[in-house]
Amino acid sequence: MRKLKLIWDFKGPAGQKTAEHHLIHLKEYIEMNNLAITITGVETLSDMHSLAFLVVDEADMKPIRDRLKPHRGQVYSDA
């Protein structure tokens, strides 16, 4: 089954800290809803752009997307 990476972008000088904080809330959501999501994280693209993300099975994406409203998504590849 295809996996999708749901992404929340944070820009500006506080982007890294905001992404790290947002990840805390994503993990809380996963735990509260007993979801089998194990791939989450923060990526820093530049000193002015960071992102928080989680990876879901495509079949499970719509309710999570509708509830959490990510900024964008892409097909996930662990390679």
Side-chain angles (χ1 to χ4, degrees), residues 15-17 19-20 42-52:
Q16 174 72 28
K17 291 289 186 188
E20 291 169 359
V42 170
E43 293 177 14
T44 301
L45 304 178
S46 74
D47 60 347
M48 297 293 278
H49 185 189
S50 294
L51 58 89

Side-chain angles (χ1 to χ4, degrees), residues 2 23 26 28 31 37 59 66-67 78:
R2 198 159 75 149
L23 181 60
L26 292 175
E28 289 171 344
E31 185 176 329
I37 297 173
D66 292 348
R67 180 78 174 135
D78 59 0

Side-chain angles (χ1 to χ4, degrees), residues 14-60:
Q16 174 72 28
K17 291 289 186 188
T18 306
E20 291 169 359
H21 182 78
H22 191 72
L23 181 60
I24 292 168
H25 293 295
L26 292 175
K27 289 181 177 181
E28 289 171 344
Y29 178 83
I30 291 166
E31 185 176 329
M32 286 177 10
N33 291 282
N34 298 315
L35 301 175
I37 297 173
T38 58
I39 303 172
T40 62
V42 170
E43 293 177 14
T44 301
L45 304 178
S46 74
D47 60 347
M48 297 293 278
H49 185 189
S50 294
L51 58 89
F53 70 90
L54 58 81
V55 176
V56 299
D57 289 333
E58 186 171 19
D60 301 328

Side-chain angles (χ1 to χ4, degrees), residues 6 8 29 60-70:
L6 303 181
W8 292 262
Y29 178 83
D60 301 328
M61 180 271 299
K62 284 186 182 180
I64 295 170
R65 177 201 64 197
D66 292 348
R67 180 78 174 135
L68 298 180
K69 300 186 181 1

